[in-house]
Amino acid sequence: MPASTVLILASIGVLSLSFQWLAWRLRVPAILFLLAGGILVGPVLGFLNPDDVFDDLLFPLVSLAVAIILFEGSLTLRFDDIRGHSKMARNLIPMGSIVTGIIGTLAARWVLDISWAVALLFGAISIVTGPTVIAPLLRSVRPSAKLANILRWEGIIIDPVGALLAVLVFEGIISWGQGNVFGHALYIFGKTLVIGCVVGALAGYLNGLVLRKHLMPQYLHNAATLTFMLGVYAFSNELAHESGLLTVTVMGIWMANMKQVPVDSIIEFKESLSVLLISALFIILAARVEFAAIADLGWGLAVVLAVLMLVARPLSVFLSAIGTDLNLREKLFLSWIAPRGIVAAAVSALFAFQLQALGYDSATALVPMVFVLIIATVTLQSLTARPVARLLNVTEPAEYGFLVLGANPVARMIGQALKKHDVPVALADTNWENVRQARMDNLKVYFGNPISEHASNHLDLTGIGNLLIISPYKHMNSLATYHFLDWFGDTSVYSLSEGDEDQKARHQTAEKIQMTRGLFNGVSYAKLASLASQGYAIKTTQLSEEFSYSNFLAKYQGQALVLFVFDSKGRIKPVRSMENLKPENDWILISLVPPQDRKERKNKDSNGAARPSAQSQMPKN
């Protein structure tokens, strides 16, 4: 008996979450499981036939979902980001786009013998990588900071740029198809371009103005922006056929570059939406892929993929690297890493619909070509990137750095101390004033929720393998603990004591969270903040035979709090308990010590003997 529509729709939701969870556990891009799962429930098992389930609603649903994806991607395209990064990262955008687009187009046209229109569109779509596939790969491989930053920013920037190029190519194709002469086709394309840019810029400015001037309550910002964007998309399409995608892309870019517009919260809202809406979209799109269409392309498709991966990408990298300080090993590693992502899959499906409607017979080959490109690049490069990085010796050393949850005064003081010892450190906070102060202190900082999808794509954790929770926000602390226990491991997450025994008695804390607590001799955040306000400062002490740990304790009369130690091998470790601390004479201590006037007070008794260093005098809750 055929499954009911309700069961099919519910199953799509369940599968979406299941594949997202599986990708999270295995640390691989979720799109790989979503596409593979869609093929499984579609052409393999025959459980899902999107055309039967959605009928005439399929194309409108896909087009709206693509509009959301392009709008969110364009919100990340800040011009300051492009200017502020390495020459190589900037070169890869125009050079990589041109080289990959041209070679992809020619390969598809000559090898597969498809129409120029479909080949051009495939070439434009094939340039897009994207942060959703790059970020998990970088976390797994851990290349050097220079290479990680190049790949990360290429993915972030090429996402909306590539989508915009694909939209422009598509507009040019349909404009030419609607015009009997060159002049008329040029008029249609120009009309689409002008309406997309003007309406998009105007909509972005108006929406940004509403958000910046708080003309709408905070709780409506995200929903109103999404609704307004979809309305603008539909309105633009009414003015000029298929101009809506260009419009929402320009709208997002305009908002991203307006001053004092809180786009980060909108991006975070999109993350919740994408878990179901966009994840379900890729299952639906993959379910429409026909094995017969892939088989019809034959071995020519494998040749096109090989040309893109082994010719187009290396040529793009080596041309872009002219005038940079990259060595041959680094160029070779960059030449191998270019997995395609979400935008490529979504845009190809939407444009295939349109081209088929316009009578392009070879348009049926576009989706299989792009989907096979995605699956091949993500699978091959995810499996081989780590051994390739090790072979080329471009991996980062051990991840001994710290992500600090909190950018408050105490966290900033600790961050500065770690930075002085060349320990990689990044601070994360949702309080803008704390973030601003951290930036003034020249500390690397992330403004936002560190456990969000946006953070996973944009938070640079190169060289960082530990979490320090130095924050008064108990709910956020617990969420971050769970998140990074799975990410960094059980022995690399450290948190302060809550300092509220009665509350802990009433609310039994989970075992995983309990085992992370007790950092810095069991002090609470409130106690640390109190000590900092009293003038306590962080000091580095080199132990030796002449000045041992017992001398250190005696000097500060038991009032110093040891935060970190560097052992004889130069490894840094946060201190949980000073009672169990037994440093050797060649260790280095990073400690929170009393103000100068307290340090200078007499530390000898009336007989001139050193005062005992009672552990009971250590700062407590």
Side-chain angles (χ1 to χ4, degrees), residues 49 155 260 302 327 396 412 445 463 484 509 512 551 565 579 607:
N49 186 332
Q260 299 178 340
N327 58 41
E396 189 75 12
R412 296 198 300 271
V445 64
F484 287 101
T509 308
K512 270 198 168 186
N551 298 131
V565 294
E579 294 181 3
N607 294 325

Side-chain angles (χ1 to χ4, degrees), residues 158-217:
I158 200 67
D159 208 13
V161 169
L164 179 59
L165 177 61
V167 170
L168 291 176
V169 170
F170 175 72
E171 300 299 348
I173 292 171
I174 63 172
S175 299
W176 185 267
Q178 292 177 14
N180 295 323
V181 294
F182 176 78
H184 183 61
L186 189 63
Y187 164 75
I188 297 294
F189 177 72
K191 176 183 176 183
T192 301
L193 190 63
V194 170
I195 289 178
C197 291
V198 172
V199 174
L202 182 61
Y205 174 74
L206 292 177
N207 198 80
L209 200 63
V210 169
L211 298 181
R212 187 170 63 190
K213 292 185 174 295
H214 303 286
L215 301 179
M216 185 174 294

Side-chain angles (χ1 to χ4, degrees), residues 483-503:
H483 180 78
F484 287 101
L485 277 172
D486 290 313
W487 198 332
F488 292 148
D490 293 348
T491 61
S492 299
V493 176
Y494 307 88
S495 61
L496 300 170
S497 170
E498 288 289 352
D500 189 346
E501 297 299 326
D502 291 338
Q503 182 181 5

